[in-house]
Amino acid sequence: MDDLTTRAPTVPLEAGAGPDNPPCPACGEPLFGWLADQERLGASVRRCESCGLGVVGESAGSAEALATLDRLGDQERARIVNRASLACSIGGAGWAGLEPGVHYLFTVEAVRRLVAQRDQVVRRRRWAPGPSFALTWQTLLNSVTFGHNVALAALGHDRVAAPADEPWQRRIDALASIVLAIPAAVITVPLELGGALFRSGAVIDLRFELL
Ligand SMILES: [Zn+2]
């Protein structure tokens, strides 16, 4: 138990722990339901109310979460798609970070807790403007398309798309992505700049150091 829960006069989050609320692999607090079964992800999504980590399906624990983090960079750096971003709060289930195959949805605080388990600290965090604008732009487009992340995938970004099932839906998606590309970009710029200003940017580069 960390000092936050011992200090708080309210009911500790641990009171909510149970089979439906397994412990967060980053900080140990219970995970709570966030998004019901998502067809494109093949599972429901839980999130930690304390550090913000999101988990698609079941977690095998912190070693697995750390291994996933390392695949986003190496043992000294990682580029995360920030679940605590403004883009995620606006997008909800349409957030572009929720792509097929993703298992852990990191936040800076979750990463801080995870790397602390191997005696590392987050030495630097830096907003990644290009990828952040792209992700927020795609999140806005996802709210008007049947499929998910179709525009970025078409543009050759390394995001995983989930195209719509029906050909007519895919045609509408292609058309909507073209017609709304510029209006969405016009909204994206101030939105994402605001997110970055309040340390809620969409994509963050992190640098770790051993204690
Ligand atoms: Zn947590």
Side-chain angles (χ1 to χ4, degrees):
M1 187 183 292
D2 65 29
D3 60 352
L4 192 87
T5 48
T6 48
R7 211 172 49 228
T10 48
V11 178
L13 284 173
E14 280 91 337
D20 289 337
N21 306 93
C24 168
C27 73
E29 298 291 350
L31 296 169
F32 291 95
W34 176 37
L35 301 169
D37 228 347
Q38 299 291 303
E39 196 186 324
R40 114 184 137 257
L41 303 173
S44 57
V45 189
R46 294 190 182 93
R47 69 174 165 190
C48 174
E49 306 283 343
S50 177
C51 72
L53 183 75
V55 182
V56 179
E58 303 301 321
S59 167
S62 44
E64 185 193 55
L66 269 168
T68 307
L69 179 68
D70 288 342
R71 285 197 292 275
L72 302 176
D74 53 37
Q75 297 235 328
E76 285 169 5
R77 81 205 78 218
R79 167 169 287 182
I80 62 163
V81 174
N82 184 13
R83 209 203 62 78
S85 61
L86 188 61
C88 177
S89 0
I90 290 171
W95 173 48
L98 278 172
E99 55 193 1
V102 76
H103 190 188
Y104 291 99
L105 307 160
F106 294 101
T107 65
V108 176
E109 182 57 26
V111 170
R112 203 186 303 279
R113 305 293 192 98
L114 277 170
V115 298
Q117 297 178 19
R118 60 180 183 205
D119 296 329
Q120 282 182 315
V121 290
V122 173
R123 188 58 78 203
R124 208 179 65 196
R125 59 175 288 171
R126 191 172 280 176
W127 175 59
S132 288
F133 284 128
L135 200 95
T136 300
W137 177 74
Q138 178 64 75
T139 298
L140 292 176
L141 288 178
N142 283 343
S143 65
V144 293
T145 54
F146 294 103
H148 188 86
N149 287 3
V150 289
L152 281 187
L155 290 172
H157 275 251
D158 65 344
R159 302 245 68 92
V160 184
D165 292 334
E166 304 291 337
W168 65 269
Q169 292 175 321
R170 293 199 289 273
R171 282 197 292 273
I172 290 182
D173 282 1
L175 188 66
S177 301
I178 292 166
V179 171
L180 296 173
I182 290 171
V186 169
I187 303 172
T188 294
V189 172
L191 202 66
E192 185 52 32
L193 284 176
L197 195 65
F198 291 98
R199 294 168 76 81
S200 310
V203 181
I204 311 280
D205 286 325
L206 298 168
R207 195 71 180 265
F208 318 134
E209 249 172 44
L210 270 177
L211 274 174

